Amino acid sequence: MSAVWAFLIAVLLLFCILATAAGLPGNYAMMAILPLFGWLTDFSWLSSRETAWLVGALLTGEVIEALAGMLGASRARASRRTKWWTLGGGILGGIIGSAIIPVIGSLAGLLAGVFLAAFISVWQERRDSRRAREVAWSAAVAQLIGTVTKLVIAV
């Protein structure tokens, strides 16, 4: 493979990392690009084992981010219902945030969605705003940590 192709792949992967930082699906794009890069180079620059490890690490980052809010709610001893609400709230919040404010809106929407979903769920169960706030903060902070972890893995 020529140096030009290697440079183009490196630039493409850099854009994927920036997309991940912006809340876009850059990790998924990297999961497709890395095996393609290996195939184009007959796995001479990056072995099939190394490619599999990198794709596995990226997938692990996605799973960590997806489950982080649920783990935060779990740490605060929330109900199973609240844990699922945080997952759904994060997904919905990320979509709405991206539509309202491109780039940074997805992260803001994700965190707001996790917080609001956890708060509403606990409030409906217990009618205790202090407890609802505790669970919501725990879920939102865990979600932020999960998102940062995903970004660190991508880099």
Side-chain angles (χ1 to χ4, degrees), residues 12 17 20-21 27 45 56-57 83 87 92 95 110 116 118 141 155:
L12 190 56
I17 291 170
T20 299
N27 276 8
W45 287 21
K83 293 173 198 173
L87 179 64
L92 186 60
I95 291 169
L110 171 70
L116 289 172
V141 167
V155 173

Side-chain angles (χ1 to χ4, degrees), residues 44-116:
S44 61
W45 287 21
L46 197 60
S47 74
S48 58
R49 177 175 280 164
E50 292 165 337
T51 301
W53 275 103
L54 289 171
V55 169
L58 292 168
L59 188 58
T60 300
E62 289 295 329
V63 170
I64 288 170
E65 184 191 34
L67 300 178
M70 291 177 79
L71 293 172
S74 180
R75 187 171 185 274
R77 292 186 225 94
S79 68
R80 183 174 299 158
R81 174 182 179 260
T82 298
K83 293 173 198 173
W84 285 106
W85 272 56
T86 60
L87 179 64
I91 293 169
L92 186 60
I95 291 169
I96 292 171
S98 293
I100 294 173
I101 307 170
V103 183
I104 62 168
S106 58
L107 177 60
L110 171 70
L111 296 175
V114 166
F115 184 91
L116 289 172

